[in-house]
Amino acid sequence: MSLATDKALHRRGPSLVRHDWTRREIHGLFDLPFPALIFRAQTVHREHFDPTEVQISTLLSIKTGGCPEDCAYCPQSARYDTGVQADKLMALETVVAEARAAKSAGASRFCMGAAWRSPKDRDLDSVCEMVEAVKGLGMQTCATLGMLAAPQARRLKQAGLDYYNHNLDTSPEFYGQIITTRVYRDRLETLEYVRDAGIHVCCGGIVGMGETREDRVGMVAALASLPEHPESVPINMLVRVVGTPLADEASLDPIEFVRTIAVARIAMPRSVVRLSAGREDMSEETQALCFLAGANSIFYGPKLLTTPNPGRDRDRELMEKLGLTAMEP
Ligand code: SF4
């Protein structure tokens, strides 16, 4: 896309929510000169959000490790020797205590993650109790439990679940190189069940897994052409964990990461774009550029499931430095 075309697009006025993005158009956004891309992303961001507000979520692993799936990036897969111990499902009281602590530290949403291919119905009973209890604290609730059947999605909705996280991870073409124990279609199916149950969708991906730019284009195009855009779009930078097949992957240029955030912002104007895993190794400057590119959510707290995340003090300092405040639920 040339700068002239970009200017022409601007003259059209407020950005429309579109579900018919072509890969060519998404490619054109990635190819824009960096200042033009950031300007466009900022413009779209300001049409729909206060650019000084950041939504804060906290993520807790309620069932860690021992997962039968083979996601090449994940230290919780039972197939890789990563030193992550398999635990049983966490007790309800522990989850509630963690949620209370997250709330007093400023989190408005509490996400509960379990390392399952899909939950068994009896496990779902326990998760539903957790959802009800966390909701009772006045927080938004989110869960990521693997693939769901339609009745399971409906049960979670009845328990008060606000969001379900289920990432598309990457482009449909690259997916098979990262995961072989399920297919893209499985992911889309769970997303459909979640939507049909009336639960908000949290769905994004991971970059830096050895994919090409075309795959990053394909990932954003897949997300932006869902029948409804996910309300939350987490964009993760791969955390290279020793023992996983991606441990020695070359690191992705941070500017390419910022470009991915900006393109996601433009393609999904009303979604909250979350700067997710990988922040621990990101400079403050890169994170600041991500916020300028339209990221408006972070995970807060020292741990993201099993990988490190910046401490709350570091985040508070950065937000203060940038004049950012926590978004009210
Ligand atoms: S990402 Fe989820 S499904 Fe994949 S191995 Fe890890 S815990 Fe299992």
Side-chain angles (χ1 to χ4, degrees):
M1 191 182 298
S2 71
L3 210 51
T5 323
D6 189 47
K7 277 180 192 148
L9 280 169
H10 264 297
R11 281 198 293 271
R12 280 192 204 159
S15 53
L16 296 171
V17 175
R18 291 177 46 198
H19 300 265
D20 59 350
W21 287 96
T22 64
R23 284 205 180 194
R24 204 154 161 254
E25 288 174 298
I26 304 272
H27 221 131
L29 292 173
F30 265 99
D31 284 346
L32 280 174
F34 195 69
L37 175 63
I38 297 297
F39 178 67
R40 179 116 179 245
Q42 265 284 306
T43 309
V44 170
H45 191 183
R46 282 160 188 265
E47 283 168 7
H48 300 280
F49 294 99
D50 177 338
T52 65
E53 287 187 347
V54 175
Q55 189 275 327
I56 294 177
S57 294
T58 289
L59 176 59
L60 174 72
S61 178
I62 57 168
K63 194 269 161 205
T64 306
C67 182
E69 301 284 84
D70 70 350
C71 312
Y73 52 82
C74 182
Q76 301 203 68
S77 168
R79 296 163 194 246
Y80 314 134
D81 186 9
T82 59
V84 170
Q85 282 211 322
D87 280 342
K88 285 201 197 121
L89 186 61
M90 206 175 251
L92 176 64
E93 312 78 70
T94 318
V95 174
V96 174
E98 293 274 352
R100 217 175 257 126
K103 189 183 178 192
S104 44
S108 58
R109 191 178 307 163
F110 193 68
C111 309
M112 294 162 271
W116 289 318
R117 175 176 163 80
S118 47
K120 296 193 183 74
D121 283 340
R122 87 178 123 79
D123 290 325
L124 204 69
D125 290 337
S126 310
V127 175
C128 285
E129 282 178 31
M130 293 172 188
V131 169
E132 277 166 20
V134 173
K135 190 94 181 151
L137 299 176
M139 297 182 88
Q140 290 182 333
T141 54
C142 177
T144 180
L145 315 169
M147 291 180 279
L148 295 179
Q152 292 182 317
R154 290 196 290 269
R155 279 189 59 205
L156 285 164
K157 172 68 184 174
Q158 273 166 10
L161 190 73
D162 297 301
Y163 286 81
Y164 193 78
N165 164 265
H166 204 58
N167 290 334
L168 287 180
D169 286 344
T170 186
S171 67
E173 308 85 83
F174 192 62
Y175 198 76
Q177 292 190 45
I178 299 296
I179 299 143
T180 66
T181 47
R182 53 173 192 263
V183 293
Y184 220 66
R185 182 66 232 155
D186 295 327
R187 299 306 269 183
L188 294 170
E189 211 169 73
T190 291
L191 290 172
E192 269 169 39
Y193 297 150
V194 168
R195 267 284 172 231
D196 289 349
I199 300 171
H200 294 318
V201 169
C202 171
C203 180
I206 309 175
V207 296
M209 298 194 292
E211 78 284 345
T212 59
R213 175 177 276 186
E214 192 53 46
D215 292 312
R216 291 186 282 280
V217 168
M219 176 184 84
V220 177
L223 292 167
S225 45
L226 287 170
E228 271 183 72
H229 291 166
E231 282 78 6
S232 273
V233 179
I235 303 289
N236 299 277
M237 176 80 109
L238 174 72
V239 178
R240 291 164 292 176
V241 180
V242 177
T244 62
L246 297 182
D248 299 320
E249 200 50 63
S251 59
L252 183 77
D253 178 2
I255 295 294
E256 182 68 9
F257 183 77
V258 178
R259 281 186 181 274
T260 311
I261 297 267
V263 174
R265 159 55 61 229
I266 296 166
M268 292 168 279
R270 290 204 191 120
S271 304
V272 165
V273 176
R274 181 172 307 129
L275 187 50
S276 298
R279 280 201 308 120
E280 170 73 358
D281 292 330
M282 239 175 245
S283 70
E284 287 193 342
E285 292 82 350
T286 302
Q287 292 186 58
L289 277 176
C290 289
F291 291 126
L292 280 178
N296 59 347
S297 170
I298 54 168
F299 274 126
Y300 204 44
K303 228 174 173 195
L304 275 190
L305 296 177
T306 60
T307 56
N309 198 41
R312 289 195 175 104
D313 290 348
R314 248 176 76 194
D315 277 338
R316 224 172 268 143
E317 247 174 61
L318 178 61
M319 284 181 63
E320 243 173 63
K321 236 189 250 187
L322 300 177
L324 301 174
T325 54
M327 194 186 285
E328 291 296 324

